Amino acid sequence: MSMNRVVLLALLAACGGAQRQAEREQQPFNCKDRIASYMAVKTMAGEERGVQIDCAEAGPRITRWRTDKNGTRQEDRRNITPGQFDAVWSQIAGTGWENLKDCTNGTLEKRDPVYQFDVGDDENKSSFSCQTREVPYPYFDITNALDQAAMQGAKQLGDDEPADLKALD
């Protein structure tokens, strides 16, 4: 097989992959100003961490961030397909977020992290919080959907073990 033929086959294979990606990304999508986020403050992983999906400003995208105890912020933002966005949104919609209030079934201890949730679309907006070590149902369904989507195909955001815990080793 000649070198030209190998190069031609490689180019054709690359174009096929690009074509499939373009077809995946050309899904019909109605944003409806949907946005969902949670932010956890004073967790073991750092001072603040959170995840947000939104679509109004730049199409469907996901953002995750983490701020360590020294104030250093790390952020990862990337576009997602309309299908990925709708899959996450469907899990969040299943919680009945429009009717959620501040949780009363968390651990509610003073030293526990505080989770702040903000969810909205073109018809409703809701903000609520929960102070707890482990996020209870149905709030967990929001953090879990966002966390899974944020980690899909992405590297870990920084070192997950704070320096003060490493010192204990």
Side-chain angles (χ1 to χ4, degrees), residues 49-130:
R49 67 181 172 89
V51 179
Q52 173 180 301
I53 61 167
D54 67 278
C55 57
E57 290 181 23
R61 66 182 176 173
I62 191 159
T63 306
R64 64 184 175 144
W65 67 92
R66 182 177 128 167
T67 305
D68 65 22
K69 296 191 186 292
N70 299 322
T72 304
R73 183 178 171 103
Q74 297 169 314
E75 186 175 292
D76 173 40
R77 176 177 290 155
R78 67 184 190 284
N79 292 331
I80 57 177
T81 67
Q84 290 170 318
F85 186 95
D86 285 337
V88 174
W89 186 262
S90 130
Q91 292 177 55
I92 293 168
T95 66
W97 62 266
E98 304 93 326
N99 302 307
L100 291 177
K101 306 288 182 226
D102 291 349
C103 82
T104 56
N105 58 341
T107 51
L108 306 174
E109 293 181 19
K110 210 177 219 180
R111 296 183 314 177
D112 291 343
V114 175
Y115 289 79
Q116 176 64 45
F117 299 86
D118 295 296
V119 186
D121 61 18
D122 59 353
E123 295 179 14
N124 297 296
K125 294 199 180 331
S126 186
S127 292
F128 40 91
S129 64
C130 191

Side-chain angles (χ1 to χ4, degrees), residues 4 6 25-26 29 39 45 73 77 80 99 110-111 146 161 163-164 167:
N4 289 342
V6 171
E25 293 174 357
Q26 289 180 350
F29 184 67
M39 177 178 62
R73 183 178 171 103
R77 176 177 290 155
I80 57 177
N99 302 307
K110 210 177 219 180
R111 296 183 314 177
L146 290 170
E161 187 175 17
D164 54 340

Side-chain angles (χ1 to χ4, degrees), residues 3 41 50 65 100 141:
M3 185 60 136
V41 179
W65 67 92
L100 291 177
D141 290 354

